[in-house]
């Protein structure tokens, strides 16, 4: 006799115990969000994959974030923007049905915010876009992200280095108003 059977424990019981321990560990990792790739952003109330929409489908950032080209904020698009396509495409997918329910009841979806700046910092998306700054410079390659994660820590040094490199103002009052 070898292994566990020497002590009177059947081999199948050892395998069952090991499988139960492994399954428990796997469940804990899923529950704690540890199985996902490093840098995966926060869970959102309705899952949205930028990788699918902006990457695979090649939908422009500005289809959804249209205010970025004309205002200081890029903003989260209204739910009706999603329904421009999803009124016809995968309508019965449970998350799309939930989205339609929110629209029908005029109930907002409270998204988990990923990027933010302190209130005392003024940042104008449209100005940066007009100067040719790519969204990915600050936000990372969103086209590869299922759940958007913060790509950079928005600290003053990051902005100052960029402004100096591109020979634009680094006067304090350009950003601090």
């Amino acid at each position: 006799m070898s292994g566990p059977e020497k002590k009177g424990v059947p081999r199948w019981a050892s395998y069952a115990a090991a499988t139960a321990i492994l399954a428990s560990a796997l469940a804990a990792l899923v529950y704690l969000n540890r199985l996902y790739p490093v840098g995966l952003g926060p869970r959102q109330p309705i899952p949205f994959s930028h990788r699918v929409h902006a990457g695979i489908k090649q939908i422009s950032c500005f289809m959804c974030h249209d205010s970025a080209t004309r205002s200081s904020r890029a903003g989260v698009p209204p739910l009706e923007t999603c329904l421009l396509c999803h009124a016809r495409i995968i309508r019965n997918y449970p998350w799309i049905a939930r989205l339609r329910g929110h629209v029908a009841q005029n109930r907002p979806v409270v998204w988990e915010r990923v990027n933010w700046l302190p209130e005392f910092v003024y940042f104008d998306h449209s100005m940066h876009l007009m100067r040719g700054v790519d969204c990915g410079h600050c936000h990372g390659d969103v086209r590869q992200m299922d759940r958007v994660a913060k790509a950079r820590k928005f600290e003053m040094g990051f902005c100052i280095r960029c402004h100096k490199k591109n020979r634009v103002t680094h006067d304090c009052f350009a950003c601090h108003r």
Side-chain angles (χ1 to χ4, degrees):
M1 280 192 193
S2 66
E5 292 179 2
K6 281 185 181 177
K7 299 176 185 172
V9 177
R11 185 175 297 228
W12 65 267
S14 298
Y15 291 134
T19 302
I21 291 169
L22 186 61
S24 297
L26 187 62
L29 290 172
V30 168
Y31 180 75
L32 297 171
N33 266 346
R34 299 293 184 219
L35 274 186
Y36 299 106
V38 173
L40 190 61
R43 287 181 190 245
Q44 298 293 346
I46 296 178
F48 179 86
S49 173
H50 280 83
R51 181 183 58 80
V52 169
H53 290 84
I56 295 169
K57 300 294 182 187
Q58 297 183 349
I59 298 171
S60 168
C61 301
F62 307 119
M63 170 72 182
C64 301
H65 301 283
D66 63 329
S67 62
T69 59
R70 64 179 190 282
S71 74
S72 63
R73 299 179 153 252
V76 176
L79 300 179
E80 290 81 6
T81 301
C82 305
L83 293 181
L84 291 173
C85 298
H86 288 297
R88 293 170 188 80
I89 299 170
I90 63 169
R91 287 181 44 83
N92 297 324
Y93 184 64
W95 294 110
I96 301 301
R98 182 180 288 186
L99 178 102
R100 282 199 329 270
H102 277 268
V103 172
Q105 296 171 10
N106 199 26
R107 201 170 27 116
V109 172
V110 181
W111 302 103
E112 288 293 322
R113 188 142 185 199
V114 177
N115 293 297
W116 68 275
L117 291 172
E119 286 183 25
F120 59 83
V121 176
Y122 176 76
F123 179 87
D124 189 326
H125 277 88
S126 65
M127 182 184 308
H128 286 80
L129 291 170
M130 284 189 302
R131 301 272 183 175
V133 178
D134 183 75
C135 304
H137 182 71
C138 298
H139 296 290
D141 191 359
V142 173
R143 294 170 299 183
Q144 299 300 315
M145 298 180 193
D146 279 311
R147 292 194 330 224
V148 172
K150 181 182 276 193
R152 308 254 182 293
K153 193 169 185 180
F154 295 128
E155 293 179 331
M156 191 168 72
F158 170 73
C159 300
I160 294 286
R161 281 189 299 279
C162 186
H163 276 224
K164 284 183 177 180
K165 178 182 171 195
N166 291 291
R167 296 184 180 157
V168 293
T169 184
H170 45 275
D171 175 21
C172 299
F173 295 109
C175 303
H176 297 278
R177 296 181 180 182

